[in-house]
């Protein structure tokens, strides 16, 4: 894969992860659930983002 394409893909994933973390922090979930989701998103950037999108806290 070309280095420019990889860089853009990495940047998009980073932006999406930051957006997900902000949404987790603003949610009404308990503190422990917030911490678990943030750790999952940070340790598994793509998979954590997908899991959060489908299973994460709402509101």
């Amino acid at each position: 894969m070309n280095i420019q394409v990889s860089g853009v893909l990495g940047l998009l994933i980073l932006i999406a992860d930051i957006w997900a973390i902000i949404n987790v922090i603003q949610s009404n979930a308990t503190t422990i659930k917030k911490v678990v989701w943030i750790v999952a998103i940070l340790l598994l950037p793509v998979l954590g983002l997908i899991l959060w999108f489908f299973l994460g806290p709402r509101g």
Side-chain angles (χ1 to χ4, degrees), residues 1-44:
M1 190 178 280
N2 196 339
I3 191 144
Q4 289 86 10
V5 174
S6 297
V8 170
L9 216 59
L11 183 62
L12 291 174
I13 292 170
L14 177 64
I15 291 169
D17 283 344
I18 291 170
W19 175 72
I21 290 170
I22 290 171
N23 282 323
V24 167
I25 291 170
Q26 293 175 344
S27 73
N28 293 330
T30 63
T31 303
I32 191 70
K33 287 183 180 181
K34 288 180 183 183
V35 170
V36 169
W37 277 114
I38 291 171
V39 168
I41 292 168
L42 290 175
L43 292 180
L44 306 166

Side-chain angles (χ1 to χ4, degrees), residues 19 23 26-29 37 50-59:
W19 175 72
N23 282 323
Q26 293 175 344
S27 73
N28 293 330
W37 277 114
I50 293 169
L51 289 174
W52 168 81
F53 184 75
F54 289 110
L55 305 173
R58 302 287 179 234

